[in-house]
Amino acid sequence: MVGDSSGDGTSDALTGVPGTVKVNGKTYSVEKTYLPRVVQCEDPGAPPEALRAQAIAARTYLTYRTKGQSVPSIADGQSDQVFTCNSNKNGSYVSSEVAQAVADTAGQIVTYDGHVIAGFFVAGAKRTGESCAKGSDATNTEKYVTVNAGKSGSDVTPSSIGSKSSPDNRGALGQNYINCLAQNDDYTAPQLLAYFYGADIVIAGNTEPTTIPDDTTAPDTGAPVATSPTNTCWSYTTQSQLAYGACVTSSVDGIDYQCTSTGSWVSGVADGAGPEGTCTSMN
């Protein structure tokens, strides 16, 4: 992505990731088809954590770009995100590493102050060596990359790829840069995103874990029924946002999870109740 197609440059309160999106005249599942193909095009062969960061950034941009649309749609190309390319064999190939990165981060987007950020990203200059020194800039996009490590609030530098006056312009991620940082310095996906978008970003939205979690605490049967909080959790299994207190049997590992007040999933569901109380729905 190199162009700013982010509409009016503002965003409303945090909204969910669209379940489907129309691109090139056809409608695709965001998590199962659209994002895997985009990540395969945008940063193929990247280290695992860089792939996860790219998946979150691409999902963030999609969510921001399509906000308010009754039928979410997006362009295929550098004006938005590349969906059809040689790397994905024109839509017929996605590597297992890319598919896993998208699954690992399903539903996750970058937010700041309760808003979806623009989620800009570009290739940027090549990065080499242990210090990730700047190299050649074949795509002429390094000028858009921002380093916002340790910065927060108004100190965060916006990217010239979009309106600098927009509060949702929290800079732009450099794909070559995240690949080097992940490879040489063991940065995690959240750390990579904070490096470019600021230390005060929040990665919102969760899916059921793709591995069995360490926390298997038995439910507190005396807990009240979970009905009041407004946070929701993204479910990869149902491909939808589920309300606080909802329970779901994960299609990944077969374990039952419950949506918590923080918008994340927790295990320990038994007999229709979990750590947050009685399941408000079973899925």
Side-chain angles (χ1 to χ4, degrees):
M1 179 190 74
V2 295
D4 176 18
S5 300
S6 53
D8 60 8
T10 62
S11 69
D12 298 324
L14 181 60
T15 55
V17 180
T20 60
V21 65
K22 180 176 287 187
V23 57
N24 296 332
K26 295 183 178 180
T27 300
Y28 299 91
S29 164
V30 166
E31 298 292 342
K32 293 182 179 179
T33 306
Y34 177 74
L35 284 172
R37 291 188 188 180
V38 166
V39 176
Q40 183 68 42
C41 283
E42 292 286 358
D43 203 6
E49 289 299 322
L51 286 176
R52 294 185 183 99
Q54 176 64 77
I56 296 171
R59 188 182 293 106
T60 299
Y61 180 79
L62 170 68
T63 303
Y64 183 76
R65 176 71 176 87
T66 60
K67 64 184 177 62
Q69 295 181 3
S70 57
V71 180
S73 63
I74 196 168
D76 176 8
Q78 292 185 350
S79 63
D80 277 327
Q81 301 185 129
V82 182
F83 178 68
T84 307
C85 64
N86 290 333
S87 293
N88 68 17
K89 299 181 181 179
N90 294 322
S92 64
Y93 170 77
V94 171
S95 72
S96 59
E97 293 80 7
V98 166
Q100 187 64 55
V102 174
D104 285 347
T105 63
Q108 296 179 1
I109 53 176
V110 183
T111 68
Y112 166 68
D113 195 25
H115 293 242
V116 183
I117 72 167
F120 296 134
F121 58 85
V122 295
K126 294 289 186 180
R127 297 281 169 168
T128 59
E130 292 185 0
S131 65
C132 294
K134 188 188 303 182
S136 62
D137 182 17
T139 60
N140 193 32
T141 54
E142 181 65 23
K143 58 189 176 185
Y144 300 123
V145 176
T146 58
V147 174
N148 284 309
K151 297 181 180 179
S152 61
S154 60
D155 290 335
V156 167
T157 302
S159 172
S160 60
I161 198 172
S163 170
K164 289 190 175 182
S165 64
S166 170
D168 302 325
N169 182 350
R170 303 284 292 175
L173 174 153
Q175 293 163 322
N176 287 319
Y177 211 158
I178 64 170
N179 293 351
C180 185
L181 291 172
Q183 187 68 47
N184 293 341
D185 296 318
D186 296 327
Y187 275 65
T188 64
Q191 290 171 331
L192 291 171
L193 295 166
Y195 193 91
F196 296 93
Y197 298 139
D200 52 357
I201 60 169
V202 173
I203 299 178
N206 293 89
T207 184
E208 305 92 302
T210 55
T211 57
I212 297 175
D214 293 330
D215 180 9
T216 55
T217 304
D220 179 1
T221 56
V225 175
T227 57
S228 56
T230 58
N231 279 351
T232 61
C233 302
W234 171 259
S235 168
Y236 181 74
T237 297
T238 66
Q239 289 290 294
S240 63
Q241 295 288 147
L242 295 179
Y244 168 68
C247 296
V248 63
T249 301
S250 173
S251 61
V252 176
D253 56 20
I255 294 175
D256 292 338
Y257 296 94
Q258 186 173 42
C259 178
T260 72
S261 59
T262 61
S264 60
W265 293 99
V266 64
S267 61
V269 176
D271 299 324
E276 297 289 308
T278 303
C279 297
T280 55
S281 66
M282 293 296 299
N283 302 274

